[in-house]
Amino acid sequence: MNRKDDELLKGSRSRYILLLFFAVAIFVAVLRARAYTVQYNGLIEVCSNGIAYVPLGTKFVKCNGIVRQVRMFTKTLTEGEDPCKCPDCCDGWCYVIVNSDAEPDENIVYPETVYFREGGSLGIYILWLSC
Amino acid sequence: MKKAQFNLLRNKTIQLVARYAIGGVFIYASLDKIAFPRDFANIVVNYHILPNTVALYFGFILPWIELIFGIFLILEFYVREIAFLFLLLLLVFIAAIIIKYTNGTLSNCGCFSTSQEAYKQNIFLLIGRNLLLIAACTLLFINKAITSSVNNK
C-alpha cells in the first residue's frame, strides 16, 4: 500500500470514528430530552390566578407558559422591588408570590441548597425567577 | 461566471478561512449549550415556534450537531453537505429571531450562551452576524459544487 492510500485510509477511519461518536452523542441527547420532557410537563405554573404551591428545591417553573429558572425564595420584598412582579422584569429578575414550606426563620432559600428536608411550616414566600 | 470571480471562489486560502471561521463559530456556540442542555431546551421552547415536545428534543440535539459538524468542517469532511446544512440552520435562526423580535419577546436568543447575562442582544448585530456566516457557507457550497462538476467532466 503506498503512502497516498495509507493517508486515505486514515482519513476514512477518522471519519467513521467521528460519525460513531456523533451517533452515540445524539442517542444520549435523545434519552436526556425524553427524560426532561416528562419533567417539563410537570412544571408548576406560578403566574396564573391564585397562589401556587412551589416546594423548596424546585429549579424550574412556568410563568404564563414560559419556563423560568428559580433563583431563590425570600420572605419579604425590599424597598423598590415592587415593580419587578412577573412578567415585568428588573435586571433579568422578576418575582411571584407563592406558597412554600420552610422553617419560619429562613429569610432566603436557594434551590440548589435544598437536599433533604422534613416538612416545615407552610407559608407565603416571594419566588424570584430569571427573566 | 467571470474568470476573476471564478478564481476567487476557488482560492484555497479563502476556503480555508471560511471553513475554520464557520466551524469555529459553531463549535464555540455549542459548548455552553452542551454544558447546560436544559437551559438551552427551555430557550428553544420559549420561542413558541415548534410544539413543546419537538422544541425540547431540538434543544437537546442541536448543540451536538453544531459541535460534530463544526469539527467535520474544520477537518474538511463532507464540506459541501455541512455547508448546506449550516446555511439552512442559519436561515432558520434568522427567521426565528425576527419572529420573536416582532412579537416583542426577544430576550436571550440562545445563540452562544444560555446565561441570563446574554439576554440583552441587539437584533441587527445578531442578524448581521448570521448573514456573514451565510455568505461564508454559500461560498463553501458553491466552491465544492464547482469542484465536483469540474472533476466529473
Side-chain angles (χ1 to χ4, degrees):
Chain A
M1 193 183 286
N2 62 28
R3 192 175 168 181
K4 195 175 178 183
D5 288 338
D6 196 35
E7 282 171 3
L8 279 171
L9 188 62
K10 279 183 189 166
S12 293
R13 210 177 288 157
S14 306
R15 207 177 299 202
Y16 292 134
I17 290 171
L18 274 173
L19 279 171
L20 183 64
F21 176 68
F22 174 63
V24 170
I26 296 296
F27 178 70
V28 171
V30 166
L31 289 179
R32 295 182 76 184
R34 201 168 148 197
Y36 185 59
T37 303
V38 173
Q39 193 183 353
Y40 175 85
N41 290 333
L43 291 179
I44 303 165
E45 171 62 53
V46 295
C47 293
S48 56
N49 292 335
I51 299 178
Y53 168 71
V54 180
L56 289 178
T58 301
K59 294 189 173 58
F60 292 94
V61 294
K62 283 188 215 172
C63 177
N64 295 328
I66 297 174
V67 177
R68 298 197 191 272
Q69 186 178 8
V70 172
R71 292 304 188 111
M72 62 182 178
F73 293 78
T74 59
K75 268 284 185 186
T76 54
L77 280 175
T78 57
E79 198 179 327
E81 287 177 342
D82 204 51
C84 307
K85 188 167 184 186
C86 297
D88 297 326
C89 296
C90 303
D91 291 329
W93 296 59
C94 72
Y95 76 86
V96 286
I97 297 172
V98 297
N99 273 315
S100 193
D101 40 14
E103 296 306 316
D105 57 349
E106 286 180 298
N107 287 319
I108 301 179
V109 181
Y110 299 99
E112 55 268 21
T113 64
V114 177
Y115 296 108
F116 175 76
R117 307 181 72 97
E118 296 180 3
S121 55
L122 197 64
I124 296 291
Y125 274 78
I126 312 295
L127 178 65
W128 286 94
L129 309 175
S130 295
C131 284
Chain B
M1 190 183 289
K2 292 179 184 170
K3 195 174 178 185
Q5 289 171 335
F6 184 82
N7 288 338
L8 186 70
L9 278 175
R10 298 204 66 196
N11 183 298
K12 286 199 183 296
T13 307
I14 291 175
Q15 289 173 46
L16 188 78
V17 168
R19 275 195 300 111
Y20 273 71
I22 299 165
V25 164
F26 274 95
I27 291 170
Y28 176 72
S30 70
L31 296 177
D32 193 66
K33 297 174 209 175
I34 287 171
F36 303 102
R38 288 190 307 177
D39 291 356
F40 180 64
N42 290 336
I43 290 170
V44 176
V45 168
N46 288 342
Y47 271 84
H48 295 294
I49 292 173
L50 296 169
N52 286 349
T53 306
V54 175
L56 286 171
Y57 277 88
F58 186 78
F60 273 81
I61 292 169
L62 178 67
W64 287 104
I65 290 175
E66 288 178 341
L67 175 71
I68 303 289
F69 285 3
I71 294 172
F72 271 34
L73 204 58
I74 287 175
L75 294 176
E76 215 174 355
F77 293 155
Y78 307 112
V79 173
R80 188 176 163 195
E81 291 81 1
I82 291 171
F84 184 67
L85 176 71
F86 280 168
L87 183 70
L88 289 178
L89 268 178
L90 288 163
L91 289 170
V92 166
F93 293 163
I94 287 179
I97 288 168
I98 290 172
I99 289 170
K100 250 207 145 195
Y101 181 74
T102 50
N103 287 343
T105 56
L106 181 65
S107 51
N108 187 352
C109 81
C111 302
F112 286 92
S113 172
T114 57
S115 72
Q116 291 306 304
E117 286 72 31
Y119 83 98
K120 286 179 185 166
Q121 291 163 331
N122 184 301
I123 184 171
F124 298 108
L125 204 68
L126 289 174
I127 292 175
R129 184 180 60 202
N130 282 1
L131 287 174
L132 274 174
L133 289 170
I134 284 173
C137 288
T138 309
L139 180 85
L140 280 180
F141 181 75
I142 291 174
N143 170 270
K144 284 296 172 183
I146 292 169
T147 309
S148 298
S149 67
V150 163
N151 288 343
N152 289 339
K153 280 184 183 168

